[in-house]
Amino acid sequence: MLRVVICDDEYIVLEGLRSMIEWSDYGMSLAGTAEDGKTALALIRDLRPDIVMTDIRMPGIDGLRLIELVMEVAPETVCIVFSGFNEYEYVRTAMKLGVVDYLEKPITLEKVDEALRRTRERIGRREELAALRRAAEANREAMLEQATLALLRRGLEVLPRWRACFGEAEADRVVAVTVIAGEVPEGALENALEPLGASRTVVGADGDESLAAVFHFAWPDDAGWEEVRGRMSELPDTAGAGGTYSVVADVVRSRTEALRALRFARFLEERGLTRYAHIAESGVFPEGLTDREEAILFDIRTGDKEGLLRDLDAFSRWMEQERLDPELAEQEILKLAYVGRRSGRETVPGAQRTAMPAAAVPHRELAGMQTRDEMFRWLREQLETVFAKTAEERQASQHAAVAKAIDFIGRHFRRDLTLQEVADHVGMNTTYFSLLFKEKTGASYIKHVTRLRLDEAKLLLREGKRVNEASEAVGYYNYRHFTELFKKHVGMTPGQYRDDPGAATRKEAEHG
């Protein structure tokens, strides 16, 4: 129902319109009436009607001024004026203000009927046009999302289509592109990306993953990315960011890197944003491999037997769908067997790796096979053997490596201790060490160090140390960061923890 407010200083007009018009016949309801301009304005502001019918001449605020004020606060309101004989100048002024119709006094039921029907039709056309505009906008957004997802997969091949959907002028402003993978609410993501400067983000679903293509209108620097990481660390989500590239078609590469970074972050259970740039030098994701191959290697390196079997099955299904000829199938399988064996060897710490020679892959066996199923069974046996040997070697060495790392961390966590320093101490690559530490302890390096530092800080606070003293004593030299971290993990500020022993005890019980 459209709601109507009538404003007229003549009681007989108000009463006549109230009692003699069957408003529901027009899809309307009479929401209220007023006898002067000030009362009318207050009523309109309160009720926000769809239609205002007002006399031009009224005490307090005249009809023309009332219309001006209504247009300021609710420009979508439809206004109809009542005018007396020889008030055409007022009517022309009213039309300039946006009035859609007028009724000349004396008002008759026929005039009202015609005006209300015209108004109903006008509003109907306006609503239809608004609905068409909304549908067109939604369609444009859907087309842009589809074009962007196609760009993420196929790059240069679909660039013209993407430019058309994005807008040629807007596309010309793009100086760089970055892909972010992970379930981050769109509004939260846009807020987190503010430090990077002007950009436009297109979000879409690619299979089971949510991808956001960030088109930058100014080149994002490292300081901006660090601030983005800080903002996203407060979110309960995990995301991976690919590299930033100046050529829009390189969004394909950024997508692959974002998914790699996301998988790495999920394994370590790290909240916030993990950038591919921070893991690119580790060798965890070798260059030149497909997503399917990388998934299998990642399973070997992280000791994920269930994931290995699942991803091998996916690789087999892909081979079947692609209908590869025997020669190509043999090349793909042999490549994966070699890289898998090398990957398994590289996950073993230094001393054991030296004692574990890089055995040759028995490729002649593969060459004599005639069917795809035979080849795949051979690959599965090879990789399962690699997995078993790697697990055996790592089992013998990793406990000692992790124990050595935990001891080193326990002696040095009170200062600025980096992951690189701990990894160097045990003779391992930082990325492999991160994976190993999480696998063996159940917690990431950062979470382990944070727990040690906060436990130590609580002891110092119980002894009466000032908050800044406790913060610096356990390696946090930023007072604000320490306070926020303490409150997030303990449930109260450091000062509250120190000053209220009873509450501190209760919080200790609540947090285990």
Side-chain angles (χ1 to χ4, degrees), residues 109-408:
L109 292 179
E110 289 78 8
K111 292 178 181 178
V112 173
D113 176 73
E114 291 176 3
L116 293 181
R117 291 188 186 281
R118 284 195 300 267
T119 301
R120 174 71 261 189
E121 291 174 3
R122 184 187 297 267
I123 292 176
R125 289 194 299 271
R126 187 179 70 178
E127 290 176 344
E128 288 176 4
L129 182 59
L132 289 173
R133 287 173 177 167
R134 288 193 299 271
E137 182 62 29
N139 188 49
R140 279 195 296 270
E141 289 299 316
M143 290 177 62
L144 175 58
E145 179 182 324
Q146 292 173 2
T148 302
L149 288 174
L151 182 70
L152 293 177
R153 300 187 194 101
R154 296 157 62 188
L156 193 60
E157 177 187 345
V158 295
L159 185 60
R161 174 189 167 196
W162 170 80
R163 286 182 61 90
C165 294
F166 195 79
E168 294 289 343
E170 285 283 277
D172 287 339
R173 293 178 56 208
V174 175
V175 299
V177 62
T178 309
V179 175
I180 295 176
E183 291 294 339
V184 181
E186 188 171 352
L189 179 61
E190 290 178 350
N191 177 67
L193 293 175
E194 285 180 358
L196 299 180
S199 64
R200 183 177 176 185
T201 302
V202 181
V203 178
D206 185 12
D208 294 332
E209 297 297 351
S210 176
L211 297 178
V214 185
F215 299 97
H216 306 278
F217 300 130
W219 187 269
D221 57 23
D222 286 339
W225 276 115
E226 285 306 306
E227 189 170 345
V228 170
R229 289 184 67 197
R231 291 190 179 196
M232 292 189 70
S233 68
E234 301 300 319
L235 300 175
D237 307 291
T238 298
T244 299
Y245 297 98
S246 58
V247 177
V248 171
D250 283 340
V251 72
V252 175
R253 182 178 178 185
S254 187
R255 167 188 171 271
T256 299
E257 294 171 348
L259 291 171
R260 292 169 175 172
L262 176 63
R263 182 166 191 171
F264 184 85
R266 281 176 173 166
F267 179 79
L268 292 179
E269 296 181 348
E270 296 289 352
R271 292 194 316 172
L273 183 69
T274 296
R275 294 182 66 198
Y276 181 75
H278 293 165
I279 60 174
E281 301 300 323
S282 67
V284 168
F285 299 107
E287 292 295 326
L289 299 183
T290 66
D291 293 346
R292 291 175 295 276
E293 293 164 341
E294 286 174 357
I296 291 170
L297 299 188
F298 194 81
D299 296 329
I300 294 173
R301 285 170 167 161
T302 56
D304 184 358
K305 181 66 177 289
E306 183 179 338
L308 175 64
L309 298 178
R310 181 184 61 246
D311 289 328
L312 277 172
D313 286 341
F315 185 80
S316 175
R317 289 194 299 273
W318 170 77
M319 287 181 59
E320 185 175 354
Q321 291 168 0
E322 291 297 312
R323 303 179 64 83
L324 300 181
D325 64 47
E327 185 176 341
L328 285 177
E330 181 180 337
Q331 290 176 7
E332 287 288 332
I333 286 174
L334 189 60
K335 172 186 173 184
L336 190 51
Y338 268 107
V339 179
R341 183 164 297 228
R342 186 183 69 193
S343 175
R345 183 171 178 271
E346 288 174 351
T347 61
V348 178
Q352 283 72 25
R353 186 185 310 150
T354 303
M356 183 183 177
V361 174
H363 59 275
R364 290 180 181 174
E365 295 178 4
L366 183 65
M369 296 176 183
Q370 301 299 317
T371 68
R372 184 174 53 244
D373 288 343
E374 282 184 296
M375 292 180 183
F376 180 73
R377 281 196 298 271
W378 177 89
L379 172 65
R380 186 170 184 139
E381 289 173 1
Q382 292 296 312
L383 293 184
E384 287 186 343
T385 299
V386 168
F387 187 94
K389 288 183 177 179
T390 300
E392 181 181 342
E393 295 292 340
R394 286 194 305 178
Q395 192 69 22
S397 61
Q398 290 174 349
H399 286 302
V402 172
K404 184 178 179 181
I406 289 175
D407 176 70
F408 186 75

Side-chain angles (χ1 to χ4, degrees), residues 325-492:
D325 64 47
E327 185 176 341
L328 285 177
E330 181 180 337
Q331 290 176 7
E332 287 288 332
I333 286 174
L334 189 60
K335 172 186 173 184
L336 190 51
Y338 268 107
V339 179
R341 183 164 297 228
R342 186 183 69 193
S343 175
R345 183 171 178 271
E346 288 174 351
T347 61
V348 178
Q352 283 72 25
R353 186 185 310 150
T354 303
M356 183 183 177
V361 174
H363 59 275
R364 290 180 181 174
E365 295 178 4
L366 183 65
M369 296 176 183
Q370 301 299 317
T371 68
R372 184 174 53 244
D373 288 343
E374 282 184 296
M375 292 180 183
F376 180 73
R377 281 196 298 271
W378 177 89
L379 172 65
R380 186 170 184 139
E381 289 173 1
Q382 292 296 312
L383 293 184
E384 287 186 343
T385 299
V386 168
F387 187 94
K389 288 183 177 179
T390 300
E392 181 181 342
E393 295 292 340
R394 286 194 305 178
Q395 192 69 22
S397 61
Q398 290 174 349
H399 286 302
V402 172
K404 184 178 179 181
I406 289 175
D407 176 70
F408 186 75
I409 294 169
R411 289 184 283 112
H412 298 284
F413 73 85
R414 297 173 185 83
R415 61 175 176 81
D416 185 16
L417 181 65
T418 65
L419 174 63
Q420 180 70 58
E421 186 178 353
V422 179
D424 289 345
H425 180 71
V426 297
M428 297 182 71
N429 172 283
T430 54
T431 305
Y432 288 135
F433 173 72
S434 295
L435 298 172
L436 172 63
F437 193 89
K438 168 66 177 5
E439 179 187 348
K440 295 302 179 185
T441 67
S444 68
Y445 165 79
I446 290 296
K447 290 183 178 179
H448 180 75
V449 172
T450 299
R451 180 178 58 78
L452 290 178
R453 287 176 169 174
L454 293 183
D455 285 348
E456 180 81 358
K458 286 186 281 189
L459 290 174
L460 295 173
L461 291 169
R462 289 196 197 104
E463 293 173 2
K465 296 288 187 183
R466 293 201 302 264
V467 174
N468 64 318
E469 291 176 333
S471 174
E472 293 181 6
V474 297
Y476 293 115
Y477 300 99
N478 184 313
Y479 175 88
R480 180 180 176 185
H481 174 66
F482 171 69
T483 300
E484 291 175 350
L485 192 65
F486 192 96
K487 185 175 181 180
K488 182 168 71 173
H489 285 270
V490 182
M492 58 172 57

Side-chain angles (χ1 to χ4, degrees), residues 496-507:
Q496 291 170 334
Y497 187 92
R498 180 197 60 197
D499 297 336
D500 190 345
T505 302
R506 291 193 297 275
K507 287 295 180 182

Side-chain angles (χ1 to χ4, degrees), residues 50-68:
D50 302 287
I51 302 169
V52 172
M53 304 177 71
T54 179
D55 192 2
I56 287 181
R57 294 182 179 274
M58 285 192 304
I61 299 175
D62 67 27
L64 294 180
R65 179 56 181 158
L66 176 63
I67 293 167
E68 285 182 322

